[in-house]
Amino acid sequence: MLKETRYSYNELTLELVQNLKAIVGEQYVIYDDVERLEQFSHDETPGDYVSMPAAAIRPRTAEEIAAIIKLANRENIPITPRGAGSGLSGGAVPIYGGLVLSVDRMNSILEVDRDNMMIEVEPGVVANDINEHIEPFNLFYAGYPMSLETCFIGGNVAENAGGGKAVKYGVTSRYVLGLEVVTPTGEIIELGGKLVKDVTGYNMVQLMVGSEGTLGIFTKIILKLLPLPKIQADLLCLFKTSDDAISAVPKIMTGGGVIPTSIEFMDSHSVQAACEYLNESLPYEDCGAMLLISVDGMDRDVIEEQYITIGKFCQEAGAIEVYVADNPSTSERIWKVRRNIAEAFSLIEKRQFNDDIVVPPASIPAAIAKLEEISAKYQVQIPCFGHAGDGNIHARVLCRKDWDDKKWAAMQPVILKDMYQMIREQGGRLSGEHGVGCKRKKYLNQVVSEEYINMLRTVKRAFDPNNILNPGKIFDV
Amino acid sequence: MLKETRYSYNELTLELVQNLKAIVGEQYVIYDDVERLEQFSHDETPGDYVSMPAAAIRPRTAEEIAAIIKLANRENIPITPRGAGSGLSGGAVPIYGGLVLSVDRMNSILEVDRDNMMIEVEPGVVANDINEHIEPFNLFYAGYPMSLETCFIGGNVAENAGGGKAVKYGVTSRYVLGLEVVTPTGEIIELGGKLVKDVTGYNMVQLMVGSEGTLGIFTKIILKLLPLPKIQADLLCLFKTSDDAISAVPKIMTGGGVIPTSIEFMDSHSVQAACEYLNESLPYEDCGAMLLISVDGMDRDVIEEQYITIGKFCQEAGAIEVYVADNPSTSERIWKVRRNIAEAFSLIEKRQFNDDIVVPPASIPAAIAKLEEISAKYQVQIPCFGHAGDGNIHARVLCRKDWDDKKWAAMQPVILKDMYQMIREQGGRLSGEHGVGCKRKKYLNQVVSEEYINMLRTVKRAFDPNNILNPGKIFDV
């Protein structure tokens, strides 16, 4: 259980619960019901990131959220906003108790604006539903993350989620053009709009994107869409060693003049675990490492030329074998393996932590080599996989079978210190797409300067003078 | 002369001038020299946006800038940062006198990082020099604006400049990955880095981009580069009327699945003025309007297919004629016409104001029609040109020959009110790429909400408690 006590808040009284019920309707306040509240006490972060709220509330409109936030300011009650709860940094965990505010009922697709190639949605829309909804119009939303089938777009924006296609298309932030936001003091403000360019004031939209629910709750989101690429092809490139595979990445990125949509790295541990979990078999799944490289576009000939170019680079970099999957069913088989790695490791060893290292793309080989050193030093398994084309690697550290829980608790910070030392040396950061949340907060000053953290504090204090909205996340004020 | 008096600052005494000289060296402080100070009193905004500074200072390092800013805070002296002075919103005009801080001596390209496809530069580097410098490496910086031959990259970042290629490549902000910033209180802080993804804290980099010198002075800038496109082709599409031309734009953007690098609109007044100015002749230069559409890529066949597709859309939309320029010299002739429109109109009538309207891309036809109505209503010429693919149009309003200066001064706000009314109705904004500066400040509340402006004020106050850095720009605190 993770409960913080640095700041003090008031208890949620029965009277306040009545007030909340008056705002959203009785059935949308969950109180005094441990069983139903349990789901709001955690997200999907492995480990002990669990803290019970006093109540959960499920508003339907921005006006209701504004009223809730105003009440919380007046009564000094903390609010933790929540999307689908699929986050990986404890961002939605109510570490000060109080109120969890779920946007799950705000799940309408408000408008598909085909002429502007934009879509307006509420925060509770599942990311994948956006693409299913717009596919008939030959449009495409490129910002979604790996958890697209469950995550909410509101959470994606709050975390600035990255995804499999970020190498070519960038992360969520690139597609967020407008937001309706309820501020930490309960004002409803429109930021940005259906505008591709706009320099009328500071870029408040991008300040909000990735603010992890600490600067505002998004109630409407305008996203930019792209023409749907007609053709996609995937290359599965097998290498003898992780080093061979990962060293190929910067060469692919800079050498061929082709920007793939994805360059996913999977070491042998990751591939084997996922294949076993899925009862799937990939060719040479016991090779040292794989790169899964995708290209997309409008023209089959161009795509073919691109994957031939990339395949050649891989072979020059020492690939043993290069397979092309240019039909949807083979593609899906391979991608399913990639998407299920995290889940597979959750079953192998419950005691683990997953990191979301990001370094300059060209430093990926050095980072992976260092992780292997750390793995050898502590004799722990550190399967690595992730978005190598972006410099973003998910490194899971699995507890040794011969360590008890106490030893594991003691060793985690020791191992992390080594990892973050490496990240700092490489000019990297704690998180590429999962966020800091409550999970990485205590390590923040290991990789960024105190002056920078102070600048974040300055912003937070200016927006949320009572520290009501998602307190204790990213940094302490 | 434009001098504001809302805030009060201290005079720059001789003693303070000595202190400033001690920081940067005697020869880099310009004081008591009206002739040399004159150049720092204005940028390139047409109109009376002129205000003399008490002194100008030309530091070489971030440390010098930090010392200057600390002194200014202590002594209550306003500082106006300045790049090349090519801005179009009076952002670099020292409307409170005091000190102009020019970054012209900070003009080194610090590193071309080919492995990461990034470049690190100082703020005084001319935008075009970046591309000349990296072309031999087959790399390309896509964020530059039209004034690339003179503007500084520091100013581009401060204004979040847009450019001819923004339809496909986006504006400056997309390419800024890292900044070294001196804050309004004189601290040197690193934001971002050589990272393609980073969610370790709020997106302070993007808060800084477009902050018009009010939140910090950039001393180092890390930019993302792209593989240099090998092939470019331009289509010059001639239409009978502005309406025909502009109505084709949304169709091109959404219909063909091709995203051009540019869709530039020029009405007949604009084309004729520029052709006359350049002693150039374009085919059918007396047609109603033109679209200049560019595509680029790596493969000649693909490019050919793309321009054929786009040409077809234009013909379906009523183009009289479509010319293809697929060689550099013809392309340069056409683009030169586009780039020189502003300059040409400056010679035709000195009394004018230029606007930088941005609306949702699909609203461009409605916006142009409304501008023509306003032109007829006041019997003023409003030549229109600009980045139609982005919804961003530069509308110049030329003074009538029969109006004296007094009448012109009285009519400007009347005409602007009509224009901004239209912008508001279309969900647009005051500025797509030129910024608000001191020029558009008084109109800000006509298109955005008071709550939004208050949010900007909150940020400014948090960063610059003494209101020292570029006071009176964008909004009043």
Side-chain angles (χ1 to χ4, degrees), chain A residues 405-424:
Chain A
D405 288 357
K406 203 178 143 195
K407 176 77 178 173
W408 174 230
M411 287 307 294
Q412 285 184 51
V414 178
I415 298 170
L416 273 173
K417 206 183 159 194
D418 274 15
M419 282 173 65
Y420 291 153
Q421 175 67 24
M422 173 277 283
I423 292 172
R424 191 175 189 135

Side-chain angles (χ1 to χ4, degrees), chain B residues 51-68:
Chain B
S51 173
M52 283 293 278
I57 191 161
R58 302 171 58 220
R60 185 62 193 87
T61 66
E63 288 71 24
E64 289 176 6
I65 294 177
I68 296 163

Side-chain angles (χ1 to χ4, degrees), chain A residues 50-213:
Chain A
V50 180
S51 173
M52 284 293 279
I57 191 162
R58 301 171 57 219
R60 184 62 193 87
T61 67
E63 289 69 24
E64 289 176 6
I65 295 178
I68 297 164
I69 293 184
K70 278 184 176 150
L71 181 145
N73 270 277
R74 204 172 59 229
E75 305 292 342
N76 194 32
I77 306 290
I79 295 181
T80 303
R82 182 181 179 90
S86 56
L88 292 169
S89 54
V93 179
I95 55 176
Y96 283 94
L99 205 54
V100 164
L101 189 155
S102 168
V103 296
D104 67 300
R105 291 177 61 223
M106 302 176 72
N107 60 355
S108 300
I109 292 178
L110 300 171
E111 185 198 6
V112 179
D113 183 342
R114 293 170 66 179
D115 292 340
N116 281 309
M117 293 207 289
M118 293 172 196
I119 191 168
E120 188 168 16
V121 295
E122 289 189 314
V125 171
V126 171
N128 200 39
D129 291 353
I130 295 175
N131 272 322
E132 284 187 354
H133 193 87
I134 60 182
E135 200 185 330
F137 310 124
N138 277 317
L139 290 169
F140 156 62
Y141 167 61
Y144 60 86
M146 283 288 170
S147 57
L148 70 164
E149 284 161 16
T150 52
C151 63
F152 289 176
I153 187 70
N156 294 172
V157 177
E159 300 293 324
N160 191 11
K165 292 180 191 282
V167 179
K168 179 169 173 181
Y169 292 113
V171 295
T172 303
S173 55
R174 190 188 291 176
Y175 299 94
V176 184
L177 300 179
L179 292 172
E180 182 186 78
V181 177
V182 187
T183 69
T185 50
E187 281 185 288
I188 302 170
I189 298 193
E190 307 247 350
L191 304 175
K194 288 186 176 177
L195 301 164
V196 180
K197 280 161 134 180
D198 178 17
V199 292
T200 312
Y202 305 145
N203 196 338
M204 303 309 291
V205 170
Q206 293 302 327
L207 180 64
M208 288 290 163
V209 177
S211 62
E212 304 193 13

Side-chain angles (χ1 to χ4, degrees), chain A residues 213-438:
Chain A
T214 66
L215 298 181
I217 296 178
F218 315 136
T219 47
K220 283 180 194 159
I221 300 163
I222 298 173
L223 298 168
K224 191 182 168 187
L225 305 175
L226 295 176
L228 182 68
K230 294 195 185 93
I231 319 280
Q232 170 169 335
D234 297 288
L235 289 178
L236 188 66
C237 309
L238 315 180
F239 293 84
K240 268 197 197 123
T241 64
S242 282
D243 193 45
D244 282 357
I246 213 78
S247 300
V249 175
K251 289 172 198 155
I252 297 162
M253 288 293 291
T254 57
V258 178
I259 299 183
T261 47
S262 328
I263 306 183
E264 295 291 307
F265 168 78
M266 300 180 270
D267 70 7
S268 57
H269 307 295
S270 303
V271 177
Q272 283 162 23
C275 283
E276 209 159 300
Y277 172 68
L278 293 168
N279 202 14
E280 171 63 274
S281 77
L282 288 189
Y284 291 95
E285 68 188 63
D286 51 351
C287 73
M290 296 185 179
L291 291 179
L292 170 53
I293 303 170
S294 305
V295 284
D296 71 4
M298 293 295 172
D299 186 292
R300 190 168 295 279
D301 294 344
V302 179
I303 294 298
E304 203 177 302
E305 210 173 286
Q306 291 188 345
Y307 68 63
I308 290 170
T309 304
I310 293 171
K312 226 183 290 169
F313 272 98
C314 287
Q315 266 156 344
E316 279 168 26
I320 328 169
E321 205 76 61
V322 174
Y323 294 91
V324 179
D326 54 2
N327 65 76
S329 69
T330 315
S331 277
E332 176 50 23
R333 265 182 64 201
I334 305 177
W335 272 99
K336 207 169 173 184
V337 170
R338 165 62 189 87
R339 281 201 305 269
N340 280 279
I341 296 172
E343 191 60 27
F345 280 114
S346 305
L347 296 185
I348 290 174
E349 170 59 67
K350 277 221 162 337
R351 298 173 306 170
Q352 54 167 271
F353 60 86
N354 64 334
D355 251 49
D356 180 35
I357 289 170
V358 62
V359 293
S363 301
I364 275 281
I368 296 283
K370 186 73 195 175
L371 288 172
E372 286 178 352
E373 265 177 46
I374 296 171
S375 165
K377 181 174 169 187
Y378 298 102
Q379 289 289 306
V380 289
Q381 260 198 297
I382 310 185
C384 287
F385 58 98
H387 318 298
D390 295 324
N392 185 204
I393 286 288
H394 302 317
R396 298 216 152 203
V397 180
L398 272 59
C399 180
R400 267 162 59 172
K401 298 286 177 198
D402 61 330
W403 286 353
D404 61 14
D405 288 357
K406 203 178 143 195
K407 176 77 178 173
W408 174 230
M411 287 307 294
Q412 285 184 51
V414 178
I415 298 170
L416 273 173
K417 206 183 159 194
D418 274 15
M419 282 173 65
Y420 291 153
Q421 175 67 24
M422 173 277 283
I423 292 172
R424 191 175 189 135
E425 282 165 12
Q426 298 291 343
R429 293 285 190 283
L430 288 186
S431 180
E433 56 184 29
H434 294 168
V436 177
C438 58

Side-chain angles (χ1 to χ4, degrees), chain B residues 16-330:
Chain B
L16 290 179
V17 171
Q18 290 309 323
N19 292 345
L20 292 169
K21 286 181 176 173
I23 295 170
V24 294
E26 179 144 8
Q27 67 271 46
Y28 300 120
V29 178
I30 302 157
Y31 177 72
D32 197 22
D33 184 338
V34 176
E35 211 165 302
R36 284 179 66 210
L37 282 176
E38 191 278 335
Q39 61 180 303
F40 299 102
S41 68
H42 61 87
D43 59 12
E44 290 184 11
T45 312
D48 199 22
Y49 299 95
V50 181
S51 173
M52 283 293 278
I57 191 161
R58 302 171 58 220
R60 185 62 193 87
T61 66
E63 288 71 24
E64 289 176 6
I65 294 177
I68 296 163
I69 292 183
K70 280 185 175 150
L71 181 143
N73 270 278
R74 204 172 58 230
E75 303 292 342
N76 193 30
I77 307 290
I79 295 180
T80 303
R82 183 182 179 88
S86 55
L88 292 169
S89 55
V93 179
I95 55 176
Y96 283 94
L99 205 53
V100 165
L101 189 155
S102 168
V103 296
D104 67 303
R105 290 176 61 224
M106 302 177 73
N107 61 354
S108 299
I109 293 178
L110 299 171
E111 185 198 7
V112 179
D113 182 342
R114 293 170 67 180
D115 292 340
N116 280 310
M117 295 206 287
M118 293 172 194
I119 190 168
E120 187 169 18
V121 295
E122 290 189 312
V125 170
V126 171
N128 200 39
D129 291 354
I130 294 175
N131 272 323
E132 286 190 352
H133 193 86
I134 60 182
E135 200 187 329
F137 309 124
N138 277 316
L139 291 169
F140 156 63
Y141 168 60
Y144 59 85
M146 282 290 170
S147 57
L148 71 164
E149 283 161 18
T150 51
C151 63
F152 289 176
I153 187 70
N156 294 171
V157 177
E159 301 292 324
N160 192 11
K165 292 179 191 286
V167 179
K168 179 169 172 180
Y169 292 113
V171 295
T172 303
S173 55
R174 188 188 290 177
Y175 299 94
V176 184
L177 300 179
L179 291 172
E180 183 187 77
V181 177
V182 187
T183 69
T185 49
E187 279 186 289
I188 302 169
I189 298 193
E190 308 247 349
L191 303 175
K194 288 185 176 177
L195 300 165
V196 178
K197 282 162 134 180
D198 178 16
V199 292
T200 313
Y202 304 144
N203 196 340
M204 303 309 293
V205 170
Q206 293 302 327
L207 180 63
M208 287 289 162
V209 177
S211 63
E212 304 194 12
T214 66
L215 298 182
I217 297 177
F218 314 136
T219 47
K220 283 180 194 160
I221 299 162
I222 298 172
L223 298 168
K224 191 180 168 189
L225 306 175
L226 296 175
L228 182 68
K230 294 194 186 92
I231 319 280
Q232 169 169 338
D234 298 290
L235 289 178
L236 189 65
C237 309
L238 314 181
F239 293 84
K240 266 196 199 128
T241 64
S242 283
D243 192 45
D244 282 358
I246 212 78
S247 301
V249 174
K251 289 173 197 156
I252 297 162
M253 286 294 289
T254 58
V258 178
I259 299 183
T261 48
S262 327
I263 305 183
E264 296 291 308
F265 168 77
M266 301 179 270
D267 70 6
S268 58
H269 306 296
S270 303
V271 177
Q272 282 162 23
C275 283
E276 209 160 299
Y277 171 69
L278 293 168
N279 202 13
E280 170 64 272
S281 76
L282 289 189
Y284 291 94
E285 67 187 64
D286 51 352
C287 72
M290 295 184 180
L291 291 180
L292 169 54
I293 303 170
S294 304
V295 283
D296 71 3
M298 292 295 170
D299 185 292
R300 190 168 296 277
D301 293 344
V302 180
I303 294 300
E304 203 177 301
E305 209 174 286
Q306 291 189 342
Y307 68 62
I308 289 170
T309 304
I310 293 172
K312 226 184 289 169
F313 273 99
C314 286
Q315 266 155 345
E316 280 168 26
I320 328 168
E321 203 77 59
V322 175
Y323 295 91
V324 180
D326 55 1
N327 65 76
S329 68
T330 315

